[in-house]
Amino acid sequence: MTLARPNPITDPDTLPRIPAWITAARPETAEDVAFLSGAALSHLHLVLGRADVPQALVRERLALRAAEACVVFSGRPERAGDLRDAMHLLRPGDRPGPAGETCLAWRHAVDRPISVTAFARALPTLEPAQIATWLDAGSGTPVTRAAMVLEAVLTAAPRADVPALLLADAVLAHALGWDHLVPLMAAGLKRADLRKRGDDLRLACHRALIASTIAAVRQAADLTRRAAYLKAVAPKLRAKGAGAAVEMLLTRDAVAPSALPMPDRAARRLCDRLVDLDAVRELTGRDTFRLYGV
C-alpha cells in the first residue's frame, strides 16, 4: 500500500492557533490596544516555547521582514527578494550595499543570544557603551520599555531607524524572558510612527505588536509544518552530505546551492529533488542563481 504524501501547505497546524478574539478585534481605547498586544505576545511566547518550532528559521524569516520594513522606511526600492540576493549572491570581498547592510544587521542580531557584544557585531558603527546605555533606557512593562528605548535612540539619532528598532526589539525580548531577539516592531510600525513620542509612540507600539505578533504566530505555524515535512523526507535522500544540507535549510531563511556542504552539481540536484518533494521552495523564480528555503 502506498501512503499519501503529506502536504506541508494544506496539513492542519500543529501549533495552537491564535484566538479569533485577538485577530478579529477592533480596539478603540488605549486600554483595549494594550490588552490585545499583551494577549498576542503571550500566545507567541507559548508558541516559541514549543520544541517543534524551528526557532532559528523563524527568527531569520522575521529578520528579513524587519529588514524589508526598514528599507521601506529609508525610501529605498529593494524588497525581500533583493535583500536575499544581496546576502547570498555577493562575490568574495564585495559589500552588500545600504539595503544589504540593513539585512545583515538584522541577521546578525537574531543569530546569537541577546548581549551587548552580539549587538555591537550587528551595529558595528555604534560603540558598545552606547548600545548598553540605550538598552537600559527603558523601564516598566515590556512594551513600555521597548517604546522608551525606541524613543531614546531616535531622539539622540533621528535617522537611526535600524538601531532604534533593533534595540527596542531586544529590550522587548529580554523583558519577555526570551534568549534571542525576535523581530516584531519594524514590521508593524509605520514610518510616521517613528516621529511620535511619549504616550503616542507607546500606543503605536502596542498597535504594531498586535499586527506583527499575529503574523509571527502564523509564520511560525507555517514553518513548523514545513520543517516537520522536510525532516520526514530527509531519510529518502541518498546524496553524501544531504543530512548537513537539510540542517542548513532548517535554520536559514534562504540557501544557495553553492553554500551547501557538497559538490555544486550534487547540491543543485539535491535542491531540485527537495522541490519535487514539496519539501523546500525555490525562492527567486529564476533559472540561474537560484535560492532555496523551507
Side-chain angles (χ1 to χ4, degrees):
M1 183 176 72
T2 302
L3 296 177
R5 188 168 71 192
N7 188 320
I9 299 176
T10 59
D11 280 357
D13 288 343
T14 60
L15 302 179
R17 293 188 178 185
I18 195 163
W21 58 265
I22 298 177
T23 59
R26 297 293 181 267
E28 298 181 359
T29 68
E31 290 78 8
D32 291 340
V33 175
F35 174 77
L36 288 171
S37 73
L41 286 167
S42 179
H43 188 84
L44 179 60
H45 181 79
L46 294 175
V47 167
L48 294 179
R50 292 277 297 255
D52 51 339
V53 174
Q55 307 281 346
L57 177 57
V58 171
R59 291 194 302 269
E60 278 227 351
R61 197 61 56 85
L62 294 177
L64 179 68
R65 290 180 62 231
E68 184 178 34
C70 289
V71 169
V72 170
F73 292 158
S74 71
R76 296 189 63 85
E78 292 91 344
R79 294 299 180 264
D82 303 305
L83 297 178
R84 283 186 173 123
D85 285 353
M87 291 294 94
H88 299 283
L89 301 182
L90 287 179
R91 295 177 179 177
D94 286 350
R95 301 296 298 174
E101 292 284 1
T102 295
C103 193
L104 190 62
W106 282 102
R107 286 188 63 198
H108 284 328
V110 302
D111 185 45
R112 298 181 180 182
I114 294 170
S115 71
V116 172
T117 300
F119 299 141
R121 177 173 176 256
L123 303 168
T125 62
L126 297 180
E127 293 294 330
Q130 181 63 79
I131 293 172
T133 298
W134 278 334
L135 287 173
D136 288 335
S139 61
T141 62
V143 180
T144 298
R145 290 176 62 183
M148 291 175 69
V149 170
L150 186 61
E151 181 171 349
V153 178
L154 290 175
T155 299
R159 298 175 63 86
D161 295 352
V162 174
L165 291 161
L166 189 155
L167 295 177
D169 271 329
V171 167
L172 178 67
H174 185 264
L176 292 169
W178 300 342
D179 293 334
H180 287 74
L181 183 155
V182 178
L184 295 172
M185 285 287 196
L189 288 168
K190 299 178 175 62
R191 185 69 182 93
D193 291 331
L194 300 182
R195 296 192 291 271
K196 296 176 179 177
R197 297 294 182 264
D199 291 343
D200 290 340
L201 178 59
R202 185 164 62 251
L203 181 61
C205 288
H206 278 296
R207 289 190 182 278
L209 287 168
I210 296 171
S212 62
T213 302
I214 289 171
V217 168
R218 290 171 174 164
Q219 181 91 88
D222 177 61
L223 291 176
T224 300
R225 288 196 309 271
R226 293 180 177 277
Y229 181 61
L230 176 54
K231 291 177 184 177
V233 303
K236 301 178 181 179
L237 306 172
R238 304 302 180 194
K240 184 177 181 180
V246 167
E247 287 302 314
M248 290 180 64
L249 288 161
L250 287 170
T251 58
R252 301 188 184 184
D253 164 64
V255 175
S258 59
L260 296 178
M262 53 201 317
D264 188 59
R265 182 175 296 180
R268 292 197 302 270
R269 285 200 300 266
L270 175 67
C271 290
D272 290 340
R273 171 66 172 152
L274 289 171
V275 170
D276 290 341
L277 291 169
D278 294 329
V280 301
R281 294 170 289 173
E282 200 287 310
L283 301 171
T284 69
R286 298 187 294 248
D287 293 330
T288 59
F289 301 107
R290 291 180 162 187
L291 298 173
Y292 299 83
V294 173

